[in-house]
Structures are given as C-alpha cells and as structure tokens.
Amino acid sequence: MPNQKPLNIQPKRILVITLRYLGDTLLVTPLISSLKQAYPDADIDVLLPASNAGMLEGNPDIRHLLTVDGKPGSMAFGKLLLSLFRRYDLAISTQAGDRPTLYAAIAGKTSIGFVPDDATKAWWKKTLLNRWLVFSADYGHAVLENLRFCKLLGIAPCYRLTPPQNSAPIPSITDPYAVLHIMPQWRYKQWHTQGWCELIAFLDRQGFKVVLTGSGNPAELAALRELQQQLPADVINLAGQLSLAQLSALIDKAAIFVGPDTGITHLAAATGTLTFALFGPTDPEKWAPWPYGYSENKTPFASRGSGRINNVYLLQGQTEQNCLPCQLEGCDRNRNSQSACLDQLSSARVIDVIAQTLQAPLNTE
C-alpha cells in the first residue's frame, strides 16, 4: 500500500478529470475552488466531455477546458494520452473508471484518484497512481467525496459550487417568475404530467409568470410543446434556447425553481434561488442538490424523508412499499421505465410545501 500521508507539493499546473454526467461536472467545482484557494498561482485545466463544457463556462478558477467527444476510439484515446504525457504537476481523477485513471496516471508527474472497492479491479490502478482513495459502495455525497482529495493534499476544503457565467443577455421578464425544468434526461426520474399542470395552474394563480426550460433534445422539445397545449397561454417556453450560463442567470433572478433529480436542479441550488427538488429512486444522502451557503463536512440531507436546508427543499416521493431510496433505474430496472414513487407523489403535496415555504422567510444560516 502506498504512503497515504498528505502530499507536500506546490503544483504549478493541475489537471482535474471528470467524465460523467452534467451534474457531476458542477459537483466537482468545490474541489476545483479548493485547489485554486490552496495554489493561487497554479493553472488548473479540466478534462471533460464536450457536451458538459458549458457547465464550467466562465469559471474563474479554470484556465482551460480539454474536451473529449463521447468515448474516443482506440486511436483517438492513444493520441490524447500522448498529448497529455507529463504535462501536469498534479492530475486528479474524480472517477474510479479505467480511462479517468489512465488519463491521470499519464498526465500527472504526481497523480491521485479514486479506485473501486474491489481488489481485482483496483490493484493496477493503485500501482499507477501516487495516491489513491477507495470509492466504496457506501459512498457519501458527491461533493464530499470529491473534497476527500483535499485531505490527501493537506489543503482546506471549499464547499461552494460555482455556476457557469457569461455576459450573454437573457430574456427580460418583468413579473416575478418561476422556472420549471420539467424533463429529466431519463424517464425514471420524471414526475407526472398532471402534477406539473396543476402546479403551473397554482403558480399562475399566485401571480408568477411560469418559465419552462429544457435541453435542445428533439424528443424533449416535442414533449414540452405537447404539454404547453394544456397550460395557460402566457407560459414562456425557453427550452433549447439558452446556454447553461444563460440558464444559470435566468434561474438566479427567479423567485423559485422546481425540477426533478437532474443536473439543472443542482445548478439551480448553486445559484442561491429557492429550489424545490422532486426526488424518486435516487438517494438524497448521496445526490441531493447542494444547498447554497452550506459548508459542513456532512451530507445535508438524509436518505429518507423530505425537508429544507438553506435554499433547497427536497421533496421525496412515496410508495406504499416504503422502498425509497432504492437507487435503481425505475421500477422496471431501466432508464426508460416509470418510478412508482414519483407517480404517487401528489400535486397537492408539492403545492402545499411550496405554498407554506413561500410564506416563510429564507433561512440561509
């Protein structure tokens, strides 16, 4: 086993590797800020999927984004490894997969990263990395897992998420408005149409302009157009029209945000806007939106139950079987299946929580 004492280094060039989903990209920003705080003169680059690059746009802690398209073929993968060879004083893999580990081991004069909690899969990664952390099956919140690298480096953690930013204009909406991000990437995280329609009707009665957001995915755009036919005529649909930085600015100025378990709900929480997150099978202890201003070394939300921390109100679905959180991809065990816990989450319950919260002052202690 390698020496796991804190590294005593002062890197001038750092590479952070994050190759998973959009939300994971945002959740690595506290680690990036921690690195910049500890090594203010260092240049920090991030290796990530091209589709996620918008989440780090305008991040003041980052010098350069190195993007990869999907999963590179053997030739492109080898070419990228060659281009990275020993370019960095420190390389950090924030995932335990094979490719992130290889990128870190090749790129960094010093390399650290996660390894799986499986000796048969981890041994060669431990050999390649200078320091490693076991990513166990019973892992904690994603933000806190990433910040474990701070202890390995002997630096102070920074718990703040950094949303994307740029100076591009956003639509001018003079009335108080609510942003609703209705469509998650996968069906098993989706709340029912009736709930969204009744929630929108409630917000409309309260005097909020309702703004729908979404990606440019054709299927998502079609679903939102179909839904819009059932909504008040003045609902604004901006799906597919905004960059992530513009979306961040739009949410930042909103009165409230409501969304499912998706990267955009993490983004909403990071802006400081009052955020209502509708959770189903996913474990909140591991993946709940990180509340704005929360800076404790413990997960903000428990695995079971609903509640509010700072600007985030997490609403967990419910089933008669009391099977939450199952951490499975829907009741049929695939991403396009339904989740009974979200199907049984009533609009009355969601509306009641929002109504009561809007009457109470925002606690940011």
Side-chain angles (χ1 to χ4, degrees):
M1 179 180 290
N3 180 3
Q4 296 293 74
K5 292 181 179 179
L7 288 162
N8 183 20
I9 59 174
Q10 289 296 319
K12 294 299 183 183
R13 301 193 70 191
I14 302 172
L15 179 67
V16 176
I17 301 152
T18 174
L19 297 177
R20 295 192 74 230
Y21 301 118
L22 191 64
D24 298 86
T25 303
L26 179 64
L27 296 178
V28 83
T29 59
L31 172 61
I32 295 170
S33 294
S34 302
L35 293 167
K36 193 62 177 179
Q37 178 179 269
Y39 313 116
D41 296 327
D43 291 328
I44 301 176
D45 294 348
V46 179
L47 178 66
L48 76 169
S51 57
N52 293 352
M55 190 61 90
L56 299 182
E57 182 179 359
N59 188 307
D61 298 324
I62 298 171
R63 182 195 66 154
H64 187 59
L65 300 178
L66 307 176
T67 60
V68 292
D69 293 316
K71 193 172 183 179
S74 299
M75 185 174 295
F77 179 61
K79 186 177 180 181
L80 178 56
L81 286 176
L82 186 62
S83 72
L84 292 173
F85 184 73
R86 294 299 183 266
R87 280 176 55 185
Y88 296 91
D89 300 311
L90 173 65
I92 304 174
S93 169
T94 62
Q95 281 103 39
D98 295 352
R99 292 196 179 213
T101 301
L102 284 170
Y103 287 137
I106 293 294
K109 296 170 186 174
T110 298
S111 59
I112 63 178
F114 284 119
V115 298
D117 192 9
D118 182 337
T120 62
K121 296 179 180 179
W123 68 268
W124 64 270
K125 297 176 182 179
K126 294 177 181 179
T127 301
L128 288 177
L129 298 169
N130 295 101
R131 296 283 194 279
W132 45 264
L133 297 172
V134 174
F135 193 84
S136 68
D138 189 28
Y139 60 91
H141 193 281
V143 167
L144 299 179
E145 288 293 325
N146 289 328
L147 290 177
R148 289 172 62 199
F149 288 112
C150 293
K151 186 174 182 180
L152 207 55
L153 292 166
I155 66 176
C158 174
Y159 296 92
R160 181 190 69 253
L161 274 67
T162 305
Q165 53 190 297
N166 65 23
S167 57
I170 61 172
S172 177
I173 305 172
T174 55
D175 297 326
Y177 63 91
V179 174
L180 275 57
H181 193 88
I182 290 174
M183 302 293 294
Q185 184 175 7
W186 307 113
R187 167 65 182 89
Y188 78 95
K189 296 182 177 183
Q190 190 173 320
W191 194 37
H192 46 85
T193 298
Q194 180 183 352
W196 286 115
C197 289
E198 293 177 358
L199 173 58
I200 290 169
F202 163 76
L203 293 171
D204 184 65
R205 291 194 301 271
Q206 301 306 305
F208 290 106
K209 179 74 71 175
V210 174
V211 181
L212 307 182
T213 59
S215 74
N217 179 283
E220 183 174 342
L221 294 174
L224 286 175
R225 285 195 297 269
E226 182 178 346
L227 174 66
Q228 201 168 2
Q229 296 175 9
Q230 306 174 51
L231 304 178
D234 62 346
V235 168
I236 301 172
N237 183 357
L238 296 179
Q241 300 179 41
L242 304 175
S243 69
L244 285 170
Q246 289 174 304
L247 180 56
S248 177
L250 179 80
I251 295 171
D252 181 63
K253 296 181 182 300
I256 67 168
F257 171 93
V258 187
D261 170 23
T262 183
I264 304 305
T265 301
H266 289 289
L267 175 60
T271 68
T273 291
L274 181 58
T275 297
F276 296 88
L278 310 181
F279 260 56
T282 307
D283 188 347
E285 185 175 2
K286 305 177 187 299
W287 294 106
W290 191 261
Y292 185 84
Y294 184 83
S295 57
E296 297 184 37
N297 190 29
K298 64 178 182 179
T299 184
F301 293 96
S303 289
R304 291 196 174 202
S306 301
R308 178 180 174 183
I309 302 292
N310 294 359
N311 67 313
V312 175
Y313 200 119
L314 189 135
L315 264 158
Q316 191 175 54
Q318 55 198 32
T319 63
E320 294 178 358
Q321 293 80 12
N322 196 29
C323 52
L324 291 175
C326 66
Q327 280 285 83
L328 298 173
E329 294 180 334
C331 296
D332 297 331
R333 311 298 190 265
N334 70 78
R335 291 171 172 176
N336 293 315
S337 74
Q338 55 82 39
S339 293
C341 51
L342 286 169
D343 291 345
Q344 295 173 26
L345 176 60
S346 71
S347 58
R349 182 179 166 211
V350 174
I351 290 170
D352 183 60
V353 165
I354 293 176
Q356 291 191 38
T357 305
L358 291 174
Q359 294 174 4
L362 180 61
N363 173 22
T364 56
E365 293 182 1

